[in-house]
Amino acid sequence: MRNFAICGRTIPALQPFNESIEAVAIGGVRVVCGVLETADRAFDPASEAHGHRVLVRVRQFSCNYRDKSFVLRAAAGLPGNRFFVIGSEFVADVVAVGASVRRVRPGDRVIGDNTYPDVGPGHVTAGAHGGIPSNNASGEYLILHEDKVMAVPPEMPDDVAAGFSIGAQTAFSMVDKLALRGGEHVLVTAATSNTSLFAIEALRERGAVIYATTRSVRHAQRLRERGVHEVFIVDMTLPFSKHEQLGSTARSVGGFSGVVDPFLDLHLLKVLPVMRNGGRYVSCGFHQQVGYGAPAPAPAPPDYSAALATAIVKNVSIIGNCVGQRRHLEQAVTAYENGRLSVAIDSVIRGDRTGAFLQRTFEEPERFGKVVYAYR
């Protein structure tokens, strides 16, 4: 079986004819990557251990922002002859199923179900865990609990399916927590991040008037084409209320009633002044979560006491979100199947271009949408 892996320093010498092995710079760190062959996984459908398990063969996979820390940690700490298999999202064919499996069958095409904190639709606690099914989703063969996969319709092509589950499940959960009533004015920060692109789709489903912030002038028109009413090109050194266009718009609508923000540490203090009294703010993570890589000038830590004081005065609800429930993924898949959701795919990379995949995923500021690696 094939595995897209971060390699220890001696692996290139051990595999001199493997043309997929490349060295690239990620976050200022030298990272050696390549597609490595390992033995196939042993799967016994009749065994008790595999009773609720499925064996899947990965067609395509992709990485998320969370994977960057895994990549850099592996590059910094792997023994010379070891490797770490990467990947958070995948689309795969079900090859075999355990005797007790009822949710999928061989031949189904599946993606990961990241339901959290529950395990999945069966809420099985033995042998399965809530959250992302695998941190090693590029392994060509995976053995997963049946509650951690979900079949996708034929209308969804592989490249879309390979970059769908985490962003869609997270975004639909975040928008659900905003409890929108339709026609509300909602601001999406870091609008070209994958989570935010899915959030824009989910907000369109709810009939919101969508506004977005980005630092990319180049992608402003693409955001408008996806249903964003107004795009603000922001200088991140300034509070949002000090941006003339953004501040003026916020005042004209009486403040944004909802905010969807993938990076709490970047935006919370900036967005609270442009929110309306009684607004809802939801975030799913931090920008400074990687913890590895070349040292960079440390920004001043956010003044969370000031943020909470503003939230109290303005009656703003600050809501945390970690992935979502199965129903959120089902809602997103149904919306795609019915033509109501569009998924941005930046590029699909194949073959020996392993370094190009990592660099496009983590280092290209003008990337728009998911970068997918295809085995076949």
Side-chain angles (χ1 to χ4, degrees):
M1 60 176 275
R2 293 171 288 184
N3 308 267
F4 192 117
I6 307 305
C7 304
R9 65 184 182 280
T10 65
I11 285 182
L14 295 173
Q15 298 197 16
F17 301 110
N18 187 338
E19 295 183 355
S20 73
I21 296 178
E22 298 182 333
V24 294
I26 304 295
V29 173
R30 184 177 186 271
V31 176
V32 179
C33 57
V35 176
L36 307 182
E37 295 274 354
T38 60
D40 287 348
R41 296 186 185 276
F43 184 81
D44 180 4
S47 72
E48 183 178 351
H50 290 159
H52 285 280
R53 302 276 170 172
V54 298
L55 174 68
V56 303
R57 185 179 185 183
V58 172
R59 292 169 172 250
Q60 300 185 15
F61 79 94
S62 66
C63 292
N64 285 271
Y65 188 64
R66 66 188 295 273
D67 292 280
K68 188 173 183 179
S69 63
F70 298 145
V71 168
L72 296 178
R73 186 182 303 142
L78 275 174
N81 64 346
R82 302 297 294 274
F83 60 88
F84 177 79
V85 180
I86 66 170
S88 289
E89 291 184 277
F90 61 89
V91 59
D93 296 315
V94 176
V95 177
V97 301
S100 301
V101 169
R102 298 292 180 267
R103 300 191 185 284
V104 294
R105 59 188 179 182
D108 283 350
R109 200 166 49 106
V110 297
I111 59 176
D113 177 1
N114 314 282
T115 294
Y116 179 87
D118 299 324
V119 170
H123 305 310
V124 177
T125 57
H129 303 280
I132 294 169
S134 176
N135 294 326
N136 320 110
S138 73
E140 190 174 13
Y141 288 92
L142 304 172
I143 298 174
L144 304 169
H145 196 281
E146 65 170 317
D147 277 358
K148 300 307 297 179
V149 297
M150 190 172 82
V152 291
E155 291 84 359
M156 183 179 288
D158 283 347
D159 56 348
V160 169
F164 189 87
S165 66
I166 295 177
Q169 202 163 13
T170 301
F172 272 68
S173 175
M174 293 172 80
V175 170
D176 193 23
K177 288 178 178 178
L178 289 180
L180 299 174
R181 294 181 293 274
E184 293 188 69
H185 299 272
V186 180
L187 180 68
V188 180
T189 64
T192 60
S193 73
N194 289 313
T195 300
S196 293
L197 288 171
F198 275 106
I200 289 167
E201 301 297 313
L203 287 166
R204 248 197 0 247
E205 278 273 288
R206 301 295 181 91
V209 182
I210 308 167
Y211 303 82
T213 70
T214 180
R215 287 181 281 185
S216 174
V217 176
R218 176 182 173 186
H219 291 322
Q221 182 56 35
R222 298 181 73 169
L223 291 168
R224 295 185 191 98
E225 291 169 358
R226 302 184 80 82
V228 176
H229 178 69
E230 194 170 359
V231 180
F232 308 112
I233 309 301
V234 294
D235 175 353
M236 290 299 293
T237 65
L238 298 175
F240 285 171
S241 59
K242 299 298 184 183
H243 287 79
E244 183 177 353
Q245 180 189 6
L246 199 165
S248 174
T249 297
R251 289 188 293 273
S252 70
V253 301
F256 300 108
S257 59
V259 172
V260 177
D261 178 16
F263 302 125
L264 179 148
D265 50 338
L266 292 184
H267 300 114
L268 177 60
L269 286 171
K270 296 182 185 297
V271 301
L272 287 172
V274 295
M275 294 184 68
R276 71 170 52 189
N277 209 312
R280 285 91 65 205
Y281 165 97
V282 61
S283 180
C284 62
F286 294 83
H287 187 262
Q288 297 295 329
Q289 65 177 280
V290 173
Y292 289 83
D303 186 349
Y304 292 117
S305 294
L308 291 173
T310 303
I312 290 169
V313 170
K314 300 187 75 170
N315 288 295
V316 169
S317 299
I318 298 176
I319 307 166
N321 184 88
C322 187
V323 203
Q325 298 295 304
R326 183 154 180 125
R327 72 177 185 275
H328 299 121
L329 186 56
E330 290 173 337
Q331 289 166 5
V333 169
T334 299
Y336 183 88
E337 190 176 8
N338 293 337
R340 304 192 312 271
L341 186 153
S342 175
V343 179
I345 300 298
D346 176 89
S347 52
V348 179
I349 295 176
R350 297 176 170 84
D352 294 335
R353 300 178 61 232
T354 56
F357 170 76
L358 285 186
Q359 286 193 311
R360 188 75 191 175
T361 298
F362 297 122
E363 293 290 298
E364 177 49 65
E366 294 300 327
R367 172 185 54 78
F368 191 88
K370 293 291 292 190
V371 181
V372 173
Y373 184 90
Y375 278 130
R376 51 182 175 142

